[in-house]
Amino acid sequence: MALIVHKYGGTSMGSTERIRNVAKRVAKWARAGHRMVVVPSAMSGETNRLLGLAKELAPAKPTTPYNRELDMLAATGEQASSALLAIALQSEGVEAVSYTGWQMGVQTDSSYTKARIERIDDERVRADLDAGRVVVVTGFQGVDELGNITTLGRGGSDTSAVAIAAAMKADECLIYTDVDGVYTTDPRVEPDARRLAKISFEEMLEMASLGSKVLQIRSVEFAGKYRVPLRVLSSFTPWDIDINEEAVSGTLITFEEDETMEQAVVSGIAFSRDEAKISVLGVPDKPGIAYHILGAVADANIEVDVIIQNLSKDGKTDFSFTVNRAEFARTVDLLKTKVLPTLGAADIVGDTKICKVSIVGIGMRSHVGVASKMFRVLSEEGINIQMISTSEIKTSVVIDEKYMELAVRALHKAFDLDQPAN
Amino acid sequence: MALIVHKYGGTSMGSTERIRNVAKRVAKWARAGHRMVVVPSAMSGETNRLLGLAKELAPAKPTTPYNRELDMLAATGEQASSALLAIALQSEGVEAVSYTGWQMGVQTDSSYTKARIERIDDERVRADLDAGRVVVVTGFQGVDELGNITTLGRGGSDTSAVAIAAAMKADECLIYTDVDGVYTTDPRVEPDARRLAKISFEEMLEMASLGSKVLQIRSVEFAGKYRVPLRVLSSFTPWDIDINEEAVSGTLITFEEDETMEQAVVSGIAFSRDEAKISVLGVPDKPGIAYHILGAVADANIEVDVIIQNLSKDGKTDFSFTVNRAEFARTVDLLKTKVLPTLGAADIVGDTKICKVSIVGIGMRSHVGVASKMFRVLSEEGINIQMISTSEIKTSVVIDEKYMELAVRALHKAFDLDQPAN
């Protein structure tokens, strides 16, 4: 009698036919004797429809009161889909009840449109589970101290599911989505990419932050903090496949570092086209330079990713960093008007035609030479490395965007990711 | 600085363009110095869309848990439209905030899909009004003692608006709808029908219960119980008409019986095609017969309207009554299988081709001969009266459906309703 949390994305809830399939799948799990909590997203397209209406009516400058109303509006999408799923479960002969974020006691801060969960009071849901009911809980939303409805931001239903699983000490949280697991890299770039049966929490966190979009990164962080066993699997397998087979499908995000995992030095390759590079040239090489430049950027709420400072020459140095491509123009403008005049730097140059390619593997901790092998592989392909960034379990390089697919495929092969794991 | 409640129907909220017009109208009232509470319905079509989805997934037999989820689902329509209206008001430069039924403290019983309001806790709304904000409150819904979302049934937004106006002791509750007031009769039947500037609460109650669909009858009952001055007016007048002109437009439902009102003996003519007549023939004329027949009908939850018992002849009598036309077949079936065998009656005959025409007027209290004038007018038109039912301020007749328009027009003229009131 395990306590299991299922989470279904908007595509899985996209029509009454699909909701019926979700209900049949959940009913199967309930009949197998599991205590079931289900967290559905809004029906696909619904959140965009609602936000589109809001946009037509929105004031010129968004304010906190406006964001409050946006959350009030957007939260209806999950409320509707949760009620529909509970109805579909009842039609399958399963006792079911749905709760909104506030009914479930999902307490958040008041940061409308990107609230953070502070506390979950699961008393009512436990009583329902004890009574043999399946409980459907709206993802994506909560309620602040004053009773205002809040939402957790895009993809927040993943986070809701994990937070509920953590609060209720669920045995496993299953994230049903439109892919069947986490791959060694994106199969659209490398057809030989393999699905990983297991990945460590730390690797998943790096993969998610480096551009692999299977899971929202906040949900992975949450799973890590509360050690929630998480499984990513497909909602498009037939609902009536054997439950024992389904229970081990997809990819398990695990906290145990067993031998199998240590054998694979590199587990996956992530990449992202979302960044742009900015270089400040001819900067006087003296203490406080990094703070002078990046402090101004941080003050403008712009996130900086990779940072490098070149060796000094004649008392001058070059300073480069990457930002999200959408923030590129704003950052350059900020530096030119606010930083350059007081810094005595020569010039600013930017490049939006870059990409970041990363190898990720928990085995890198205990294996030397992994990064240098990466650099050798890229060099053999004639790919110039512009920037390098490393952490304990990943190495990222910034290269010309046009080499992205080539780099991913060469690294995938060089690190034997196309070979079946033993 | 009056406290005013505005209520807007689904058609008035039917598109972002229309929501913007509602916002402009409300902003005008707020700028004129009024404290404003606004109750919008769901955007037209939205409630039907949601209930349509539910129907596709519904279990064969609706249960209380199913009705609970229906309310959870349907309540999202008003939550979304309220948030959109608050946003539109912000765009007009008016501070605005929206609340759901549970946030506003609209406490109801647990009769899902047809809940009754028990209490409203307006503390939070008062604080907002004191701070100069316009408050938008979702109509149609509340929350029960256990925190389950409930709805008040179709048209429940009228009732919400009146209940909120009553709880907050509002100076007036303005119901904006797609007609510009209450008419002496339906202008589609009698082109000479006139809009009434005023109607008494009791007359409005009779008109609503007799088939005039301008206001939901429960909202009129509520207004009567708490003496809320109610005005029905059009949301399709330009939003920027002079506020003093707008404030006296439409029809005021009033509690003062002034001289003007006593002068009009009959205020309006209502009619309904929704009924069917059932006659039980050859019933032994002894005590307990009415209970024997109608008790069985009431036990089956079928509402009976007009009832007549004929004069007895040879110890036998005929007993006739009307029910809603949708219940006709079920009622006849019930009588044939359950009542006829034990009653010793001869036969049951039914007629669905009937209609009910009623004259309504508070002046009937002090004027004799009003009913007999009605019978004379119908007789002069050659219309046979099948049943008669009277109350202090109305007289209803059941006649052949084909004479309905003729009867309405003849009575409208005979009681001078086509003449301008002085």
Side-chain angles (χ1 to χ4, degrees):
Chain A
M1 279 265 294
L3 173 59
I4 303 284
V5 175
H6 277 195
K7 187 262 165 181
Y8 292 90
T11 319
S12 313
M13 297 289 294
S15 67
T16 49
E17 191 50 45
R18 287 186 180 176
I19 292 173
R20 200 173 285 126
N21 279 331
V22 168
K24 285 180 194 293
R25 193 184 295 275
V26 173
K28 175 182 74 179
W29 282 74
R31 290 206 182 91
H34 296 300
R35 292 154 71 88
M36 299 298 301
V37 176
V38 189
V39 182
S41 294
M43 294 176 78
S44 57
E46 180 63 5
T47 306
N48 284 337
R49 182 184 76 84
L50 291 167
L51 296 180
L53 292 171
K55 210 173 165 187
E56 287 179 45
L57 295 168
K61 278 191 187 172
T63 57
T64 302
Y66 171 67
N67 285 335
R68 181 193 179 280
E69 299 304 324
L70 271 189
D71 279 3
M72 182 93 166
L73 179 68
T76 62
E78 276 75 15
Q79 184 173 327
S81 67
S82 294
L84 289 169
L85 180 54
I87 288 170
L89 280 162
Q90 291 169 1
S91 290
E92 296 301 321
V94 174
E95 270 197 77
V97 62
S98 76
Y99 295 117
T100 61
W102 62 268
Q103 287 176 323
M104 164 80 190
V106 178
Q107 200 80 39
T108 71
D109 61 19
S110 296
S111 311
Y112 300 117
T113 75
K114 49 178 192 293
R116 295 204 162 250
I117 297 174
E118 288 175 345
R119 198 171 64 246
I120 292 181
D121 174 13
D122 61 355
E123 197 186 333
R124 189 165 179 183
V125 175
R126 282 203 183 278
D128 283 307
L129 292 175
D130 289 345
R133 292 188 197 102
V134 170
V135 179
V136 183
V137 180
T138 55
F140 179 61
Q141 63 189 267
V143 69
D144 75 3
E145 217 175 15
L146 295 169
N148 298 301
I149 294 174
T150 55
T151 71
L152 310 181
R154 275 300 166 108
S157 289
D158 283 356
T159 308
S160 298
V162 175
I164 288 163
M168 302 197 67
K169 299 190 178 27
D171 294 283
E172 203 169 296
C173 179
L174 279 62
I175 310 279
Y176 286 86
T177 178
D178 48 5
V179 296
D180 67 348
V182 180
Y183 276 69
T184 50
T185 196
D186 189 331
R188 283 168 298 186
V189 168
E190 170 53 88
D192 286 339
R194 281 182 309 103
R195 180 173 59 78
L196 296 162
K198 276 189 184 180
I199 186 170
S200 78
F201 153 71
E202 288 144 301
E203 288 170 321
M204 190 64 226
L205 202 56
E206 290 285 2
M207 294 289 274
S209 67
L210 293 170
S212 166
K213 291 183 178 110
V214 177
L215 281 176
Q216 201 214 12
I217 187 156
R218 277 172 62 195
S219 70
V220 182
E221 287 169 357
F222 225 102
K225 191 165 166 194
Y226 295 101
R227 301 186 70 83
V228 177
L230 210 61
R231 183 178 294 275
V232 177
L233 64 176
S234 170
S235 68
F236 292 112
T237 56
W239 69 266
D240 55 355
I241 66 165
D242 182 77
I243 191 168
N244 295 313
E245 191 186 319
E246 186 173 351
V248 296
S249 68
T251 300
L252 178 68
I253 292 123
T254 177
F255 298 91
E256 305 152 23
E257 300 189 7
D258 62 20
E259 306 81 45
T260 325
M261 296 178 66
E262 289 206 33
Q263 282 174 4
V265 176
V266 170
S267 296
I269 299 182
F271 52 85
S272 159
R273 275 194 190 86
D274 294 341
E275 297 188 38
K277 185 175 77 168
I278 294 168
S279 300
V280 188
L281 307 178
V283 181
D285 189 12
K286 57 186 182 188
I289 281 304
Y291 174 71
H292 193 115
I293 297 172
L294 296 182
V297 175
D299 287 348
N301 236 331
I302 297 167
E303 213 172 320
V304 169
D305 184 19
V306 185
I307 303 165
I308 56 165
Q309 186 170 342
N310 282 5
L311 281 182
S312 175
K313 194 180 159 189
D314 304 332
K316 298 270 182 182
T317 185
D318 300 337
F319 191 92
S320 300
F321 58 94
T322 64
V323 296
N324 192 294
R325 210 174 273 189
E327 300 284 12
F328 175 71
R330 191 157 79 94
T331 312
V332 169
D333 187 56
L334 175 82
L335 291 173
K336 285 202 170 153
T337 56
K338 297 250 168 88
V339 178
L340 216 53
T342 62
L343 190 70
D347 200 9
I348 290 169
V349 296
D351 186 357
T352 59
K353 303 266 181 217
I354 58 155
C355 71
K356 187 170 72 173
V357 175
S358 311
I359 57 175
V360 176
I362 214 160
M364 288 166 75
R365 274 188 193 146
S366 47
H367 288 73
V368 292
V370 177
S372 63
K373 180 173 174 184
M374 178 189 201
F375 304 151
R376 176 172 57 75
V377 170
L378 296 176
S379 143
E380 282 168 6
E381 299 291 341
I383 299 169
N384 187 41
I385 298 170
Q386 300 178 22
M387 301 171 88
I388 297 170
S389 161
T390 63
S391 80
E392 210 183 359
I393 64 163
K394 70 114 208 230
T395 302
S396 300
V397 295
V398 170
I399 59 174
D400 189 322
E401 190 185 57
K402 71 182 174 194
Y403 294 125
M404 196 187 78
E405 285 83 359
L406 176 63
V408 169
R409 286 192 212 114
L411 293 167
H412 196 268
K413 188 162 175 52
F415 286 104
D416 296 329
L417 293 176
D418 50 351
Q419 303 301 317
N422 53 343
Chain B
M1 278 266 295
L3 173 59
I4 303 283
V5 175
H6 276 195
K7 187 263 167 180
Y8 291 90
T11 320
S12 313
M13 297 289 293
S15 66
T16 50
E17 192 50 44
R18 288 186 178 175
I19 291 173
R20 199 174 286 124
N21 279 332
V22 168
K24 285 180 194 292
R25 192 183 297 273
V26 172
K28 176 181 73 178
W29 281 75
R31 289 208 185 89
H34 296 301
R35 295 154 68 89
M36 300 297 301
V37 175
V38 189
V39 182
S41 295
M43 295 175 76
S44 57
E46 180 63 6
T47 306
N48 284 337
R49 184 185 74 86
L50 291 168
L51 297 181
L53 291 172
K55 210 171 165 189
E56 288 180 44
L57 295 168
K61 279 194 189 169
T63 58
T64 301
Y66 171 67
N67 285 335
R68 180 193 180 278
E69 300 303 325
L70 272 189
D71 280 1
M72 181 93 165
L73 178 69
T76 63
E78 277 74 16
Q79 184 173 328
S81 68
S82 294
L84 289 169
L85 180 55
I87 288 170
L89 281 162
Q90 291 169 2
S91 290
E92 296 300 322
V94 174
E95 271 197 78
V97 61
S98 75
Y99 295 118
T100 61
W102 61 268
Q103 286 176 325
M104 164 82 190
V106 179
Q107 200 80 39
T108 73
D109 61 18
S110 297
S111 312
Y112 301 117
T113 75
K114 50 179 189 294
R116 296 206 162 248
I117 297 175
E118 289 175 346
R119 198 171 63 245
I120 292 182
D121 173 13
D122 61 354
E123 197 185 334
R124 189 167 179 181
V125 174
R126 282 203 183 276
D128 283 306
L129 292 174
D130 290 343
R133 293 187 195 102
V134 170
V135 179
V136 183
V137 180
T138 55
F140 179 60
Q141 64 189 266
V143 68
D144 75 3
E145 215 175 19
L146 296 169
N148 298 302
I149 294 173
T150 54
T151 72
L152 311 182
R154 275 300 166 106
S157 290
D158 283 355
T159 307
S160 298
V162 175
I164 288 164
M168 302 194 69
K169 302 192 178 18
D171 295 281
E172 204 170 296
C173 179
L174 279 64
I175 309 279
Y176 285 87
T177 178
D178 48 5
V179 296
D180 67 349
V182 180
Y183 275 69
T184 49
T185 196
D186 189 333
R188 283 168 300 188
V189 168
E190 169 53 87
D192 285 340
R194 281 181 310 102
R195 180 173 57 78
L196 295 161
K198 278 188 182 181
I199 187 170
S200 78
F201 152 71
E202 289 145 302
E203 288 170 321
M204 188 65 228
L205 203 57
E206 290 285 3
M207 293 289 273
S209 68
L210 293 171
S212 166
K213 291 182 178 110
V214 177
L215 279 176
Q216 202 213 9
I217 188 155
R218 275 172 64 195
S219 70
V220 182
E221 288 170 356
F222 225 102
K225 190 164 167 194
Y226 296 100
R227 299 186 71 81
V228 178
L230 211 59
R231 184 178 292 277
V232 177
L233 64 177
S234 170
S235 68
F236 293 112
T237 56
W239 68 266
D240 55 354
I241 66 163
D242 181 76
I243 191 168
N244 295 315
E245 191 185 319
E246 185 172 349
V248 297
S249 68
T251 299
L252 178 68
I253 292 121
T254 177
F255 299 91
E256 305 151 22
E257 299 188 7
D258 62 18
E259 307 81 47
T260 322
M261 296 179 69
E262 289 208 33
Q263 282 176 5
V265 176
V266 170
S267 295
I269 299 181
F271 52 85
S272 159
R273 275 195 189 84
D274 294 340
E275 297 187 39
K277 183 175 78 166
I278 294 168
S279 300
V280 187
L281 306 178
V283 181
D285 189 11
K286 55 186 183 185
I289 281 306
Y291 174 72
H292 194 116
I293 297 173
L294 297 180
V297 175
D299 287 348
N301 235 331
I302 297 167
E303 213 172 319
V304 169
D305 185 19
V306 185
I307 304 166
I308 56 166
Q309 185 170 343
N310 283 3
L311 280 182
S312 174
K313 192 178 157 190
D314 304 333
K316 300 267 181 184
T317 185
D318 300 336
F319 191 91
S320 299
F321 58 95
T322 64
V323 296
N324 192 295
R325 211 174 273 189
E327 301 283 12
F328 176 72
R330 191 158 77 93
T331 311
V332 169
D333 187 56
L334 176 82
L335 292 174
K336 285 202 170 155
T337 57
K338 297 249 169 88
V339 177
L340 218 51
T342 62
L343 191 68
D347 198 9
I348 290 170
V349 294
D351 186 356
T352 58
K353 303 266 182 221
I354 59 154
C355 72
K356 186 171 70 173
V357 174
S358 312
I359 56 175
V360 177
I362 213 160
M364 289 166 74
R365 277 187 193 146
S366 47
H367 287 71
V368 293
V370 178
S372 63
K373 178 171 176 184
M374 180 188 198
F375 306 151
R376 176 173 55 77
V377 171
L378 295 176
S379 143
E380 280 167 9
E381 298 292 340
I383 300 170
N384 185 40
I385 298 171
Q386 301 179 20
M387 302 170 89
I388 298 171
S389 159
T390 61
S391 80
E392 208 181 0
I393 64 165
K394 68 118 211 232
T395 302
S396 301
V397 295
V398 171
I399 58 174
D400 190 319
E401 189 184 56
K402 71 181 173 194
Y403 294 123
M404 194 186 80
E405 286 82 0
L406 176 63
V408 169
R409 286 192 213 114
L411 293 168
H412 196 268
K413 191 161 173 46
F415 286 103
D416 295 329
L417 292 175
D418 52 349
Q419 302 302 315
N422 51 347

